[in-house]
Amino acid sequence: MQKILIKGGRVVNDDCSQVADVYVEDGVVKAVGPNLQAPAQPAGIQVIDASDKLVLPGGIDPHTHMQFPFMGTQSKDDFYQGTKAALAGGTTMIIDFAVPQKGCSLLEAYEKWRSWADPKVCCDYALHVAVTWWSDKVKEEMKILTQEKGVNSFKMFMAYKGVYMVGDVELHSAFSQCKQIGAIAQVHAENGDLIAESTKKILSLGITGPEGHELCRPEEVEAEATLRAITIANSVNCPLYVVHVMSKSAAKVIADARRQGKVVFGEPIAAGLGTDGTHYWHKEWSHAAAHILSPPLRPDPSTPDFLMNLLANDDLSVTGTDNCTFDICQKALGKDDFTKIPNGVNGVEDRMSILWEKGVHSGKMDENRFVAVASTNAAKIFNLYPKKGRIAVGSDADIVIWDPKATRKISAKTHHHAIDFNIFEGMVCHGVPVVTISRGKVVYQSGLFNVAPGEGRYISREPFSEYVYKRIRQRDEVCQPVPVKRAPYAGKVISTALK
Ligand code: URP
Ligand code: ZN
Ligand code: ZN
Ligand code: ZN
């Protein structure tokens, strides 16, 4: 096990910053404080000078799809290449999604994803599991996953009709079970029925190109589903996490609900914060198709700024990426019909730089809020905190040394994804990860990797995350309706018997 002493950096957590040294041994932070001395036998200790740099908890990307079998193909970044790209960007943990087909076992999906990820991951990871249909068996498997497999979050799709979509009654059942077992319900919020109807209309107008994708799922379709999911979750007092919040109107729905005290969290993603949906109208088909994901990027170019403002002031809580990459040949499955273009874009490598550039460099948030939305809040919501998401004695040594003044230009020519396109191409970002430490080992430094497939670990997550469930419990106690005490009605009652 490596011993590392990080000297002279500014250690930033979500609640405070201090100039301090950080000493790491056996994969764990052993000391944080000013002027730490190397132990008596300094042999084998790697000393890293972090002066003028920030020392941050490694990023947590709570939304990725590595090697996801989807829309007739499989996403290109596998668990090896995808987690390497994560590390190059300062992210030291991902949470991916195990997605069973309708009618199939959730446990089997979980085991399948484990068998794909375990031999390949270069950083720690966990799994959300999707609920794509409903039965007593699904209900039981959710419980087993929570109690025995370290899963405390389940995603329900309100879109992808006929594939993954579930209806309101199934949502109600799934949310009720999440509440029962102490899990967090997640939703992909888009009205799948409306999308299916609009798709017929758009195709009948002769629109077959990528712009059709946005035209048949405009932002009110996202906002409506978001409100419906919040309403259903609130009716059973289940905590709700809305993944990939892409529009102003959906974000406003979440902000309103939070101001009403509802236990709901919104996750904008790097794509939605860093670029916009005007690309769908680009004249070059492959350029437009490369930006397709669901919900789509929005044509209103002020959307990214708006989402960032809400993220800065806690109306939105976390940033993910939905990293689900397809190369141009895969996207070309839909060259004559936008409904067949595989949905997904990159993000896991560039998320933290985009967030720094558009969030911190722009003056919308400070370094502590950056840490909160890049790492700590995900750790708290998904019950990984304080082992993840914090630099403190006893925390996992997942650390990134961040140069806030340096800049880098994002390009497919230099990125570490398995695809030949980057939706942030040419963007210059302040905020560069110079050293990434995962599990107490320097795995990425100055552009070079020192990590082997399988070095990351699966991280089990306990149910009933305090950060989420303290309020849920209290609301259960005080928000129960009670009957009005009154004397029984003693008057006449009409007869309803039919003559
Ligand atoms: O377009 C997307 N988002 N692809 C991945 C699947 C999903 O809906 O998260
Ligand atoms: Zn989704
Ligand atoms: Zn473009
Ligand atoms: Zn996704």
Side-chain angles (χ1 to χ4, degrees), residues 451-479:
V451 68
E455 273 184 19
R457 289 284 171 274
Y458 175 74
I459 305 293
S460 282
R461 298 173 294 133
E462 293 290 314
F464 295 106
S465 156
E466 280 289 280
Y467 184 70
V468 172
Y469 267 88
K470 263 199 278 199
R471 271 199 301 150
I472 292 284
R473 270 189 222 107
Q474 183 65 12
R475 288 164 77 86
D476 266 344
E477 268 178 40
V478 298
C479 300

Side-chain angles (χ1 to χ4, degrees), residues 433-449:
V434 284
V435 180
T436 308
I437 297 169
S438 166
R439 310 178 57 78
K441 177 184 155 189
V442 174
V443 286
Y444 178 81
Q445 185 163 19
S446 312
L448 297 175
F449 290 99

Side-chain angles (χ1 to χ4, degrees), residues 4 69 125 181 216 229 259 262 281 337 375 384 399 438 467:
I4 303 172
Y125 82 104
I181 60 183
C216 52
R259 280 157 202 217
K262 292 175 181 149
W281 279 264
D337 176 353
S375 178
L384 298 157
I399 296 171
S438 166
Y467 184 70

Side-chain angles (χ1 to χ4, degrees), residues 63 65 68 70 155 157 160 188 243-244 292-295 322 324 326 343-345:
H63 190 157
H65 301 275
F68 179 31
F70 188 44
K155 177 177 178 182
F157 292 90
Y160 305 122
H188 173 133
V243 302
H244 47 43
I292 296 274
L293 81 157
S294 294
D322 206 0
C324 185
F326 298 101
N343 289 196
V345 297

